[in-house]
Amino acid sequence: MSYQQLPLTFNVPITAEMRARASQSSQHQSNADKSRQVYHNVLMVLAVEYYCQCMAIETQLEASSVWNPALQLLADTAELPLKGLGAVQCCMVAGQGTSVTVPAEAQHDRLGYLAVGLDEESREAILLGFCERLPGEGEQFALQHWDDLDGFLGKVEELETQSSPTPPALTQLSQWLRGQVAQGWDSLETLISGQHLTPAWAVRGPAGATEIRDNALIKRGKLLHFEGMSEAIILLISLESELAEETDIAVEVQSLDRHSELPLNLEISILDDEGHSVMQAVAKSSEHIKLRFSGQPDEMFGVKVALGSVSFIEQFVI
């Protein structure tokens, strides 16, 4: 098939390994049309993954819904999550190579859309264009109105800049042991009472307590507000109440009422003193996610909580 070509495109060879992964995923579908759809979706995602690797863009390939047979049965989605930035939708170029198909269920929670042509005869995928906001309604969009791949690279650069703000202030955990807690970190009771909630799991303690001690632990929390969410979530830090050669620390993210599920693909990461992720967890139908580790006095670490293109980073020293 010949495609309408924008100035900057990218050709990806469809390898035997790509075809094998696509075939394996499609075999979970009993309907022939759905099986073929899943096959194409996997090929598109793998092609875009290959392109991102070439452009040094970090992805989370295994977090894509193309590997979930139940989700693929219910919806036609082919998104590739980009680490810490959000997901880009991989869209089939249809017709005579002049229109792009974007299923209705894939028209939200995306940083943008990549048009992908599949030439199975030549065993090649062609990345043809990018669109940040769909021009109109429906599921078919004219490729001529899309930007070339420079638009995608520019969007990624913009989001990476936004997700790398000025380093936040350093929170000294040793001061927590002396009852000196930095502004913004509160007990669970304070956080809950501020939201007018009285859940059964709320920790009991004396009014006005500067920290909550539970089994020799100090727990402090901070509310995080993500755009589009009606309620905040809580970032919780727990540590032993006495400083030792090795201090056990737990970092947890949970819903405010602890009964609601966290947003899908919400990610929590532990960063080393150079900002590199050393531990991480991703919410999958979870009410809370927790990471545990230990550190030595004066050791620095960071906590990053990310949802799509928005992230919060807190820096600590033990």
Side-chain angles (χ1 to χ4, degrees):
M1 178 184 289
S2 62
Y3 297 100
Q4 177 182 326
Q5 297 268 338
L6 293 170
L8 178 62
T9 60
F10 191 90
N11 291 36
V12 178
I14 299 177
T15 65
E17 183 181 355
M18 289 178 174
R19 297 195 304 274
R21 291 201 72 178
S23 178
Q24 183 181 19
S25 296
S26 68
Q27 289 173 6
H28 293 290
Q29 308 298 330
S30 58
N31 179 277
D33 290 338
K34 173 59 73 171
S35 177
R36 190 69 178 164
Q37 181 187 91
V38 171
Y39 184 84
H40 287 154
N41 285 348
V42 172
L43 286 183
M44 289 193 295
V45 168
L46 291 176
V48 173
E49 158 75 6
Y50 178 92
Y51 171 66
C52 287
Q53 287 182 353
C54 293
M55 296 295 108
I57 299 171
E58 288 190 85
T59 67
Q60 294 177 301
L61 176 62
E62 301 307 322
S64 173
S65 66
V66 294
W67 314 118
N68 188 318
L71 289 178
Q72 285 296 305
L73 177 62
L74 297 173
D76 180 9
T77 59
E79 86 289 354
L80 177 65
L82 307 185
K83 186 174 178 62
L85 304 180
V88 62
Q89 180 69 22
C90 310
C91 309
M92 177 78 78
V93 176
Q96 298 301 312
T98 59
S99 66
V100 187
T101 302
V102 185
E105 56 266 36
Q107 295 184 19
H108 56 87
D109 296 331
R110 301 290 187 265
L111 65 84
Y113 307 84
L114 280 170
V116 183
L118 293 177
D119 189 340
E120 294 181 67
E121 227 176 86
S122 302
R123 294 185 176 178
E124 189 174 57
I126 308 175
L127 277 62
L128 293 161
F130 173 73
C131 180
E132 181 178 351
R133 294 182 180 84
L134 296 173
E137 299 180 350
E139 296 189 349
Q140 298 294 325
F141 301 90
L143 181 58
Q144 64 179 351
H145 298 309
W146 289 43
D147 297 326
D148 63 21
L149 295 181
D150 267 339
F152 172 65
L153 298 177
K155 181 62 178 178
V156 169
E157 184 178 357
E158 173 192 331
L159 293 174
E160 286 178 339
T161 301
Q162 292 176 356
S163 64
S164 302
T166 303
L170 197 63
T171 299
Q172 299 187 28
L173 296 181
S174 60
Q175 293 184 348
W176 290 17
L177 307 181
R178 299 190 292 269
Q180 302 170 3
V181 180
Q183 186 176 4
W185 292 95
D186 295 299
S187 67
L188 281 174
E189 287 180 326
T190 301
L191 294 174
I192 295 165
S193 62
Q195 300 295 313
H196 308 292
L197 298 176
T198 55
W201 58 267
V203 180
R204 308 301 178 192
T210 57
E211 71 259 342
I212 295 175
R213 295 180 181 264
D214 180 15
N215 295 328
L217 292 180
I218 297 176
K219 297 183 181 180
R220 307 296 298 191
K222 175 177 283 193
L223 294 180
L224 304 181
H225 298 269
F226 285 94
E227 185 177 355
M229 289 182 57
S230 58
E231 289 188 356
I233 60 175
I234 298 179
L235 170 62
L236 272 178
I237 308 293
S238 306
L239 68 151
E240 296 172 314
S241 59
E242 293 184 2
L243 199 60
E245 290 185 5
E246 287 282 339
T247 300
D248 292 330
I249 298 171
V251 177
E252 183 176 7
V253 174
Q254 63 186 43
S255 59
L256 194 57
D257 61 9
R258 196 150 184 162
H259 299 302
S260 304
E261 290 185 357
L262 292 169
L264 187 65
N265 292 329
L266 178 80
E267 182 180 289
I268 180 173
S269 305
I270 305 301
L271 312 178
D272 63 18
D273 57 0
E274 295 184 349
H276 300 139
S277 176
V278 293
M279 297 176 67
Q280 67 180 52
V282 179
K284 299 288 185 183
S285 302
S286 315
E287 295 174 357
H288 66 98
I289 47 179
K290 178 183 287 189
L291 295 172
R292 298 177 183 272
F293 59 98
S294 61
Q296 299 175 348
D298 298 324
E299 187 174 350
M300 296 174 59
F301 69 93
V303 176
K304 180 179 179 180
V305 183
L307 180 62
S309 62
V310 180
S311 63
F312 295 89
I313 298 179
E314 298 286 342
Q315 300 283 3
F316 301 88
V317 61
I318 299 174

